[in-house]
Amino acid sequence: MENNGSKMWNFQGNGELKSAPATTVRGTLTMIMQNLNKHDQRPTIPLGHGDPSVFPCFRTSIAAEDAIVDSVRSGKYNGYSPFVGVLPARRAIADYLSQDLPYNLSLDDVHLTNGCIQAIEVVLTALALSSPGANILLPRPGFPFYETRAACSNLEVRHYDLLPEKGWEVDFEALEEVADENTVAMVIINPGNPCGNVYTSQHMKKIAETARKLGILVIADEVYGHLTFASTPFMPMGTFGSIVPVLTLGSISKRWIVPGWRLGWIVTCDPNGTLKNSGIIESVTDCLCVTSGPPNFIQAAIPQIIENTKEDFFLKIVEILRGTADICFDRLNEIPCITCPSKPEGSMFVMVKLNLSLLDDISDDVDFSLKLAKEESVIVLPGVTVGLKNWLRITFACDHSTLEDGLGRIKAFSQRHAKKT
């Protein structure tokens, strides 16, 4: 008998996960950063991730920091918390989210998670356990962790396209074509990651009506909720919860600029009680029961964080993003090999298309990103990671001078690699 793990033993690896690190944002950015030139004395410009907390202008509110300090120094929150979250935090989040809904949420609608990543893990696991053989519909481009997590749960993934020429709206015809009797849910990300789009209320109502027609629930990823800076305001998908049941995923990570605090939520926006009656919510709580939640002292600080953070803080963050989005759009349009289909209206990202026919010695978006890192110490995310080959996702969530420097280096790189005419 061969002693190689496949003959002698009964366990074996999951072949579907072999490429998982390379198809996550973190895995791809790690690969690209390994290509940095260590001899380049210039600072590395991070235009590939969604964590602007390293920049002083994006520091979280003093009220949020004070709430954490008070929670820790109270000495009351050093133990374990309930697996669905502490009651005051759940009640505060229910009240906070209810402000934007036509009905009121209760604390029983709120389940706390270790960031929005764990919210995704729990929801997809719950769907896989409650509906064996099911599939879910994911947007393309989208957030690749959904695919990675679905593979872990043996949940089939099917993609529907977002249309760049229509502001990254849902292609409803394609959506209906990929759905079948085994489809249980569709995911929407609004404001958009990676596209920087914000859906209108009319478009979201059509999403709700289409999902109802297909008999599926909507998983609404709203981690970038309220980070909008154009003419279309943010509207939560839960607004249409009476048309179709909605599971809203969110966190304090982006609006408060504290991704390291790892406080997220799964919220049931379902005034008709469809999800509870179907057993989905029971599956969610069962999954939470066998995993660890956010730190107790972070949960305890949530009511104070929400109540004491002034509107001025949120307005400041949005104004910074509006300014950097303008800079990003204008500077990218100066680069002939890059096309930006639409100006970003929300979140922290923009998707741009590469015209490889204008470049020498660049084979695809990954090659572009690797060589850009090596030659210019600028990190961007290849579009293939989020589902669109030969595109790039660029973040504009950094201070003005860093962004100008980074985009200037991209322009210089593109000029250096431009085909000679």
Side-chain angles (χ1 to χ4, degrees), residues 34-338:
Q34 290 171 348
N35 213 46
L36 287 167
N37 181 357
K38 297 178 181 179
H39 301 293
D40 190 343
Q41 298 300 309
R42 297 174 297 176
T44 300
I45 306 293
L47 302 184
H49 61 67
D51 181 5
S53 63
V54 296
F55 299 102
C57 62
F58 282 99
R59 183 173 176 172
T60 193
S61 69
I62 297 300
E65 294 175 351
D66 288 344
I68 296 295
V69 171
D70 292 346
S71 177
V72 171
R73 288 183 172 169
S74 74
K76 298 178 181 178
Y77 306 107
N78 297 326
Y80 295 119
S81 63
F83 64 88
V84 293
V86 301
L87 291 180
R90 291 163 62 201
R91 185 177 294 110
I93 291 169
D95 292 344
Y96 165 68
L97 297 178
S98 293
Q99 296 172 13
D100 298 318
L101 296 172
Y103 51 88
N104 289 324
L105 298 168
S106 74
L107 63 86
D108 292 329
D109 294 318
V110 179
H111 301 75
L112 300 189
T113 60
N114 199 331
C116 197
I117 287 291
Q118 190 188 42
I120 295 171
E121 292 177 349
V122 168
V123 167
L124 296 193
T125 301
L127 289 175
L129 291 174
S130 60
S131 306
N135 66 72
I136 60 168
L137 310 182
L138 301 182
R140 181 171 51 209
F143 184 52
F145 186 77
Y146 282 96
E147 294 178 83
T148 303
R149 186 61 233 182
C152 294
S153 302
N154 292 315
L155 190 63
E156 182 189 349
V157 165
R158 300 181 181 184
H159 292 98
Y160 65 89
D161 290 324
L162 305 181
L163 303 171
E165 68 276 12
K166 293 186 177 180
W168 303 103
E169 289 188 343
V170 173
D171 183 340
F172 289 105
E173 184 177 342
L175 176 70
E176 294 194 38
E177 285 179 356
V178 296
D180 64 14
E181 67 276 5
N182 294 319
T183 305
V184 293
M186 67 175 291
V187 173
I188 68 161
I189 305 174
N190 182 55
N193 174 14
C195 303
N197 58 299
V198 181
Y199 290 139
T200 64
S201 59
Q202 295 88 346
H203 190 68
M204 293 179 67
K205 184 178 181 182
K206 189 172 182 180
I207 291 173
E209 291 170 343
T210 303
R212 180 183 178 89
K213 174 183 174 183
L214 296 172
I216 62 177
L217 67 93
V218 176
I219 300 169
D221 185 328
E222 297 177 352
V223 72
Y224 290 96
H226 292 284
L227 293 182
T228 62
F229 34 82
S231 58
T232 305
F234 167 69
M235 175 177 285
M237 189 69 208
T239 302
F240 305 99
S242 59
I243 297 176
V244 66
V246 176
L247 285 177
T248 297
L249 313 184
S251 77
I252 63 171
S253 297
K254 307 302 182 179
R255 196 179 189 202
W256 271 269
I257 321 293
V258 286
W261 291 9
R262 311 313 301 144
L263 192 290
W265 52 77
I266 303 167
V267 173
T268 308
C269 297
D270 181 27
N272 298 325
T274 304
L275 295 176
K276 183 177 181 180
N277 295 335
S278 67
I280 294 294
I281 302 306
E282 184 179 356
S283 294
V284 167
T285 55
D286 287 346
C287 290
L288 286 169
C289 192
V290 294
T291 188
S292 57
N296 202 7
F297 71 92
I298 300 285
Q299 296 187 47
I302 287 298
Q304 190 176 331
I305 289 173
I306 292 175
E307 181 178 354
N308 293 346
T309 300
K310 304 301 183 184
E311 189 65 23
D312 288 351
F313 167 76
F314 300 127
L315 292 175
K316 182 196 79 169
I317 296 299
V318 167
E319 280 303 311
I320 294 172
L321 290 173
R322 179 181 287 113
T324 55
D326 288 343
I327 291 171
C328 193
F329 184 73
D330 293 342
R331 296 296 176 268
L332 289 172
N333 280 329
E334 297 173 357
I335 304 173
C337 67
I338 289 178

Side-chain angles (χ1 to χ4, degrees), residues 3-14:
N3 187 3
N4 61 5
S6 61
K7 297 292 185 180
M8 182 176 180
W9 308 105
N10 291 330
F11 53 79
Q12 59 184 3
N14 183 347

